[in-house]
Amino acid sequence: MYSKIKWVLFVICFCIVAMGMAEERDTGKWKPELGMELISEQQVVLGGNSNFVNLLRLNAVLPVARGLAFEVASISTCMTADESIGGDLQVFSNIDAGNIPFTLSICDFTWAWNESNELSVGVRNMNEDYFVSPVTSLFTNSSCGIVPTIGMNYPIANYPVASVGVHYRYAAERFGLQASVYNGTAYRRFTGGENVFRVCPKSDGLFALTQLEYKHKGSVYFLGMCGRDRYEDFEGSEMSKFGATLWAYGEQRLTDNLHLMASYSHAFAPGAACSDFAGIGGTFACRRCEFGVFTDCAWFSERREFATELTCKILVNPYIYVQPTMHIIDKCIGSLRVGISF
């Protein structure tokens, strides 16, 4: 039964290609694109260990027909330490992922049938679509992306892993909607039982999420909910009960250069590894520099963890930036990040 699902996804992709080739409309959205991003980060625990982390991301957009494009993106990571030096549960660095020679974050077909609607089918990482805004992208703590009430409770398509799914996006001038269904467990390999193209809801479950969005005059608001037909408790034992998480995020523009942000999330799953998350912060831009502060609290089953990030991103030129950051968790961790993209 479940082996037929792979054929169903294949048929969906084929139909999208056929519809895209048959349509005579041209959205003007898809153009051939090639990109590369290299991030290097030196991490130092004050009075302790150090680590050097690197991330290489390659991406391409290849138009197939009018309104249809094939997207692919890969990531490769390496670090000098055997494991993260932070010892924190939230993961203070959003590029810290161990040593990964090569894996996919996107490999799908995306069909845009007007300026507001998109449908993607294939391998995708949630970080490409959800919890993404100009303010959250400044911070290097992973909790400013996929919140721990989701990332810690479900083995889903959160960096650096991805999974096969169907993603829909509606984006109007002010209002937006995203909805997705993924294979319930994400992977990063290309063979065996951890194949990133694996579709097996019987053993891996299914993961669904949706997010309502409102944007107006530089302010952004998200309200979303996700659920998986089974979830893991704080000891890593998979439970057969349904688990769900609700989140809300607000990003208020005060001036052209000043934004405030607030986030809250709750997991409706008894025994969840992370039950609640709350955070507040803000950013201020001045010429080529952008300053940010974000502080949060995550309620884990084993302890309550507070984290604060102070960061400054300096744009050297349109392609290079330098970003010194201080993280205050159980310890103080300083980092210096250099990014190159084109």
Side-chain angles (χ1 to χ4, degrees):
M1 174 181 177
Y2 293 102
S3 62
K4 296 180 180 180
I5 296 179
K6 297 180 181 179
W7 290 103
V8 172
L9 290 175
F10 174 80
V11 171
I12 292 174
C13 292
F14 178 82
C15 291
I16 291 175
V17 172
M19 287 185 292
M21 295 178 67
E23 291 289 343
E24 292 302 324
R25 65 175 69 93
D26 186 358
T27 65
K29 182 179 180 63
W30 304 118
K31 297 179 181 179
E33 294 181 15
L34 292 175
M36 185 201 80
E37 182 178 18
L38 175 63
I39 300 176
S40 295
E41 182 176 87
Q42 179 66 54
Q43 308 167 354
V44 178
V45 176
L46 300 189
N49 299 329
S50 64
N51 190 17
F52 185 54
V53 182
N54 296 276
L55 165 68
L56 174 63
R57 186 180 191 274
L58 304 174
N59 64 277
V61 176
L62 306 175
V64 176
R66 293 181 178 181
L68 181 71
F70 174 69
E71 295 182 272
V72 61
S74 69
I75 60 172
S76 302
T77 64
C78 66
M79 50 189 272
T80 57
D82 294 332
E83 57 185 19
S84 175
I85 62 175
D88 59 320
L89 297 175
Q90 297 185 60
V91 186
F92 72 93
S93 174
N94 55 14
I95 66 169
D96 201 341
N99 294 304
I100 302 175
F102 181 87
T103 190
L104 293 172
S105 59
I106 303 176
C107 184
D108 66 10
F109 287 95
T110 298
W111 177 40
W113 58 91
N114 55 40
E115 292 296 330
S116 302
N117 294 275
E118 291 181 10
L119 180 68
S120 299
V121 180
V123 172
R124 204 163 182 91
N125 183 300
M126 285 173 49
N127 297 271
E128 303 289 339
D129 307 300
Y130 293 92
F131 303 91
V132 178
S133 75
V135 170
T136 56
S137 63
L138 170 66
F139 296 94
T140 66
N141 189 325
S142 64
S143 290
C144 285
I146 305 297
V147 290
T149 48
I150 299 176
M152 290 288 292
N153 292 337
Y154 312 104
I156 39 82
N158 185 20
Y159 173 87
V161 294
S163 64
V164 173
V166 178
H167 174 71
Y168 168 76
R169 181 183 184 93
Y170 170 79
E173 182 178 354
R174 293 191 181 183
F175 294 95
L177 169 69
Q178 295 192 73
S180 307
V181 178
Y182 293 96
N183 188 59
T185 303
Y187 304 99
R188 64 176 180 84
R189 304 187 186 279
F190 298 97
T191 58
E194 296 184 0
N195 188 344
V196 70
F197 296 100
R198 174 185 170 100
V199 179
C200 192
K202 183 176 181 179
S203 59
D204 293 347
L206 288 173
F207 183 74
L209 68 164
T210 184
Q211 178 174 277
L212 297 174
E213 304 172 353
Y214 177 76
K215 302 177 181 180
H216 182 56
K217 294 183 178 180
S219 297
V220 177
Y221 301 93
F222 299 151
L223 177 64
M225 190 171 188
C226 66
R228 189 173 183 264
D229 56 350
R230 59 184 74 96
Y231 65 93
E232 294 182 354
D233 63 12
F234 63 90
E235 294 180 347
S237 300
E238 191 170 78
M239 307 177 74
S240 59
K241 300 177 182 178
F242 177 79
T245 298
L246 176 71
W247 69 87
Y249 172 78
E251 186 177 295
Q252 180 64 45
R253 171 185 172 272
L254 299 183
T255 68
D256 290 340
N257 300 327
L258 181 62
H259 290 79
L260 299 180
M261 59 190 293
S263 177
Y264 177 74
S265 179
H266 176 72
F268 298 90
C274 183
S275 60
D276 292 273
F277 172 82
I280 58 173
T283 63
F284 176 74
C286 180
R287 296 184 180 180
R288 291 193 172 189
C289 299
E290 189 173 5
F291 303 88
V293 58
F294 183 77
T295 185
D296 67 65
C297 179
W299 282 260
F300 295 99
S301 56
E302 50 193 272
R303 68 174 187 262
R304 186 185 303 179
E305 184 175 87
F306 293 90
T308 298
E309 176 179 346
L310 303 170
T311 189
C312 174
K313 188 174 185 179
I314 305 167
L315 191 64
V316 178
N317 58 45
Y319 309 101
I320 302 174
Y321 71 85
V322 178
Q323 186 171 5
T325 302
M326 176 64 70
H327 294 276
I328 305 172
I329 318 173
D330 295 331
K331 58 190 76 172
C332 291
I333 305 173
S335 65
L336 179 63
R337 177 176 293 191
V338 178
I340 303 173
S341 61
F342 57 85

